[in-house]
Amino acid sequence: SASTPLNALAGQLPMLSKGQAHRIKNAMRADIADVPAYLAEFYYKTGGGQGAHHHHNLILAAFNAGAGRVPDFRVRAAHALKHRIAAALGHRDIDFQDDPACSDAYVLQAPNEAAARDYFDHRRRSHLTDVDPRPTIESHTGWVVILQDRPKPINAKTVTKAIEHAFEVCGLLL
């Protein structure tokens, strides 16, 4: 597909740097709360030869909120075993004592904890906790990318739901 800012982001954000043979396909642009956002499918490959695995992920949306408006962070769904292993390896999770539902549902990591706590106010945490399915969200230098893992490529039947989901998640982050 045509070049979009997503192509440049593919090598910068850890969640878009997994594996090899990265491809952005079926990109489209939409305005969400007067901010240009891009929706697309992200493909990558792990392994090689007969052991190669092709991964299909839907980028729900990517938008540039502007450097300084959104802190750098990564949010992903919490999985009990993965969370315990990561904690044992020294990966720190920012928890909210006043919001155990959000802290139990997601792992939040950020280089600037105070900025992340300010950004993820009660309204954002409450909405994020209600989002289903739970996306992975990463912010870097003002760009926010919302990624939803999918077992197979999106199709005509699921594209409308994916776009609605993108608007919902973007709305709570803007």
Side-chain angles (χ1 to χ4, degrees):
S1 59
S3 183
T4 68
L6 297 176
N7 299 95
L9 285 174
Q12 294 179 21
L13 296 172
M15 74 177 178
L16 296 181
S17 299
K18 299 177 192 175
Q20 57 207 4
H22 304 129
R23 290 185 304 157
I24 303 279
K25 292 180 65 179
N26 301 320
M28 41 185 158
R29 182 180 179 264
D31 287 340
I32 300 175
D34 296 324
V35 174
Y38 300 87
L39 290 78
E41 289 179 278
F42 175 66
Y43 295 82
Y44 66 97
K45 181 175 85 170
T46 56
Q50 292 204 357
H53 296 282
H54 295 271
H55 303 270
H56 309 272
N57 294 287
L58 172 67
I59 296 173
L60 289 180
F63 60 90
N64 190 340
R69 287 191 58 205
V70 178
D72 288 0
F73 66 84
R74 183 162 196 241
V75 172
R76 62 177 170 74
H79 300 287
L81 180 59
K82 284 183 183 178
H83 185 66
R84 285 196 303 269
I85 292 169
L89 294 173
H91 295 269
R92 197 162 177 288
D93 175 22
I94 300 170
D95 284 323
F96 295 90
Q97 298 301 321
D98 64 332
D99 196 346
C102 185
S103 294
D104 290 346
Y106 287 96
V107 173
L108 169 62
Q109 296 171 313
N112 183 335
E113 182 175 337
R117 286 183 180 281
D118 286 345
Y119 181 74
F120 283 98
D121 58 14
H122 179 72
R123 179 189 68 83
R124 283 193 177 103
R125 292 191 319 262
S126 176
H127 284 24
L128 193 60
T129 303
D130 292 339
V131 171
D132 184 41
R134 294 197 168 117
T136 297
I137 305 167
E138 191 168 334
S139 172
H140 179 67
T141 63
W143 275 95
V144 178
V145 176
I146 303 154
L147 185 82
Q148 183 65 56
D149 288 327
R150 300 188 60 84
K152 51 188 165 182
I154 197 162
N155 60 42
K157 292 180 182 178
T158 58
V159 72
T160 302
K161 186 166 175 68
I163 291 170
E164 289 171 356
H165 195 214
F167 275 85
E168 175 189 5
V169 175
C170 285
L172 76 95
L173 295 173
L174 289 172

